[in-house]
């Protein structure tokens, strides 16, 4: 089946940029997402990118998509302690069931 | 507008006991999903529903059953709980937004001893 992979942990200092990477295998991917999970809470959609786009910027967030290499990244500029969370990459393939394939999640730890 | 709610928030079961987790959404969404979250494994889809009265198997359906009798509710049942079902369970729903956003509940932490 299709797969999404992420590194498990990233540590940065407050004020630095964070880059979280993700690779996926689905050739028919239509949308790719970044979800954020704060401690003890459910997931919330942070941003998404349509598969025919290379880049999307939203305030401090920049999403880059390399469709040829099936690589997705999330850059958070000026990382704050409030950005400490688990970040999940997710892939929506084709089809009408609208199922998502999630990566393992990357724990971002922001050091003051 | 409460969004997606889940009950209970926590539960401890003994092996072999049964229970039902309730998910409710007030956004009139057609699609609903049950996931389990385990350390180092991300979220895995258990069952899902594309509308009232429909259910389908996801990636890890064994040991679980679901029902969607009303559009706003999606129930997840464990008939005979096993320690391997110790996990955090999340429900999600999705409407007709063009970018297919899923809205998640706060989760249920289940421990099976």
């Amino acid at each position: 089946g299709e797969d999404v992979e992420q590194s498990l942990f990233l540590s940065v200092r407050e004020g630095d940029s964070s880059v979280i990477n993700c690779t996926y295998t689905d050739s028919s991917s239509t949308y790719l997402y970044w979800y954020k999970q704060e401690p003890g809470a459910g997931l919330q959609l942070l941003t998404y990118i349509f598969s025919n786009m290379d880049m999307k910027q939203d305030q401090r967030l920049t999403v880059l998509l390399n469709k040829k290499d099936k690589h997705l990244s999330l850059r958070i500029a000026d990382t704050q302690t409030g950005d400490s969370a688990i970040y999940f990459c997710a892939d929506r393939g084709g089809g009408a069931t609208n199922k998502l394939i999630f990566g393992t999640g990357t724990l971002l730890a922001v050091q003051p | 507008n409460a969004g997606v709610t889940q009950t209970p928030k926590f539960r401890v079961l003994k092996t072999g006991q049964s229970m039902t987790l309730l998910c409710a959404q007030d956004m009139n969404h057609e699609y609903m999903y049950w996931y389990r979250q385990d350390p180092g494994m991300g979220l895995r889809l258990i069952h899902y529903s594309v509308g009232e009265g429909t259910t389908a198997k996801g990636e890890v359906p064994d040991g679980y059953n679901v029902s969607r009798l009303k559009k706003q509710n999606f129930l997840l049942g464990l008939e005979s709980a096993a320690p391997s079902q110790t996990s955090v369970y999340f429900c999600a729903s999705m409407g007709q937004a063009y970018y297919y956003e899923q809205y998640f509940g706060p989760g249920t932490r289940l421990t099976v001893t």
Side-chain angles (χ1 to χ4, degrees), chain A:
Chain A
E2 306 302 345
D3 196 23
V4 176
E5 292 193 355
Q6 304 175 235
S7 54
L8 290 180
F9 183 72
L10 175 66
S11 178
V12 299
R13 291 197 181 279
E14 193 172 19
D16 288 350
S17 291
S18 308
V19 179
I20 303 171
N21 295 300
C22 168
T23 57
Y24 62 97
T25 60
D26 185 0
S27 299
S28 62
S29 181
T30 53
Y31 286 87
L32 292 138
Y33 306 85
W34 285 103
Y35 279 83
K36 179 182 180 182
Q37 183 183 33
E38 296 185 350
L43 281 69
Q44 275 194 302
L45 181 65
L46 202 56
T47 187
Y48 66 93
I49 188 165
F50 188 46
S51 58
N52 69 354
M53 298 169 65
D54 298 325
M55 185 180 86
K56 180 179 181 183
Q57 190 139 8
D58 184 0
Q59 299 182 328
R60 292 191 298 123
L61 305 178
T62 303
V63 179
L64 295 178
L65 175 60
N66 181 327
K67 200 169 179 182
K68 174 176 168 288
D69 294 338
K70 297 191 178 70
H71 183 267
L72 182 75
S73 68
L74 173 70
R75 178 177 180 269
I76 305 174
D78 187 26
T79 312
Q80 303 297 307
T81 54
D83 295 323
S84 294
I86 301 176
Y87 291 81
F88 289 93
C89 171
D91 163 38
R92 178 190 178 271
T97 57
N98 293 309
K99 292 188 288 184
L100 296 181
I101 307 296
F102 283 88
T104 53
T106 299
L107 174 61
L108 175 64
V110 182
Q111 312 300 326

Side-chain angles (χ1 to χ4, degrees), chain B residues 49-96:
Chain B
S49 169
V50 301
E52 181 179 308
T54 75
T55 63
K57 293 180 181 179
E59 185 187 354
V60 288
D62 294 343
Y64 305 95
N65 57 75
V66 286
S67 65
R68 182 109 182 261
L69 298 179
K70 291 184 180 180
K71 187 177 185 179
Q72 63 267 34
N73 296 337
F74 196 28
L75 279 63
L76 179 71
L78 285 73
E79 289 186 348
S80 179
S84 60
Q85 294 177 304
T86 293
S87 188
V88 181
Y89 292 86
F90 288 99
C91 175
S93 71
M94 191 189 74
Q96 297 299 323

Side-chain angles (χ1 to χ4, degrees), chain B residues 92-109:
Chain B
S93 71
M94 191 189 74
Q96 297 299 323
Y98 72 91
Y99 53 91
Y100 306 99
E101 177 178 359
Q102 290 191 14
Y103 293 80
F104 282 79
T108 295
R109 184 173 292 275

